[in-house]
Amino acid sequence: GNGQLGDGTLTQRTIPVPVTKTWPEANLVTAIAAGGYHTLFILDSGSVYAVGANSYGQLGDGFNTQRILPVEMLPPRVEGITPFALSIAAGAYHSHVTYDTVNIPGSTTGVPVPSSSTTGPQLSNALRSVYSFGSNSYGQLGDGKAVNDPK
């Protein structure tokens, strides 16, 4: 294995095992995506955690180091904007995250607000963007290049 089960080992499992929580206890996982050799988790806080193979930077933590315990993905950094992950997708060696970002003066967290939309939580003054990372040898990151980038 590559640690993608997130139980702190490289052991293949034939029965379900719990993921070792490395995120704040109060947060709940709201979505999971499994790639070829890695796994992504969205928390109700809008954070994304990842575990497993990372040879192409597909965990989004800025490194190429395999992880056997979930690590927090680096959110996009835009001054005055707070990211809130809405969806995740994982390919064999790459990952995608859809973020809503919100700019609330004095706020440090994106807060979902009620909406009648059927597309999921909405953020006030939101801007939706897709971020991609990992292997890009075939242009799968959609950035117009065919270069691998761990960030």
Side-chain angles (χ1 to χ4, degrees):
N2 289 283
Q4 65 266 44
L5 298 182
D7 66 349
T9 74
L10 297 174
T11 304
Q12 180 177 328
R13 305 291 186 176
T14 58
I15 60 171
V17 294
V19 172
T20 302
K21 291 175 75 172
T22 57
W23 49 83
E25 189 65 35
N27 292 127
L28 301 174
V29 173
T30 60
I32 300 170
Y37 306 95
H38 67 294
T39 307
L40 308 176
F41 309 92
I42 291 183
L43 304 183
D44 58 0
S45 65
S47 297
V48 179
Y49 279 70
V51 66
N54 197 24
S55 55
Y56 295 96
Q58 62 266 43
L59 300 186
D61 65 350
F63 297 97
N64 294 94
T65 305
Q66 178 182 25
R67 307 292 186 172
I68 61 173
L69 292 171
V71 294
E72 187 170 9
M73 187 176 290
L74 297 174
R77 296 183 189 273
V78 180
E79 188 171 333
I81 303 293
T82 301
F84 189 93
L86 293 177
S87 66
I88 48 179
Y93 301 103
H94 63 286
S95 303
H96 307 278
V97 179
T98 303
Y99 284 101
D100 264 355
T101 53
V102 63
N103 186 358
I104 301 173
S107 174
T108 58
T109 59
V111 179
V113 295
S115 169
S116 60
S117 170
T118 58
T119 60
Q122 301 295 307
L123 295 175
S124 58
N125 304 319
L127 174 66
R128 189 164 290 178
S129 299
V130 176
Y131 287 80
S132 303
F133 36 91
S135 176
N136 196 28
S137 54
Y138 297 101
Q140 59 268 49
L141 300 186
D143 62 356
K145 304 173 188 172
V147 177
N148 297 321
D149 187 358
K151 298 178 183 105

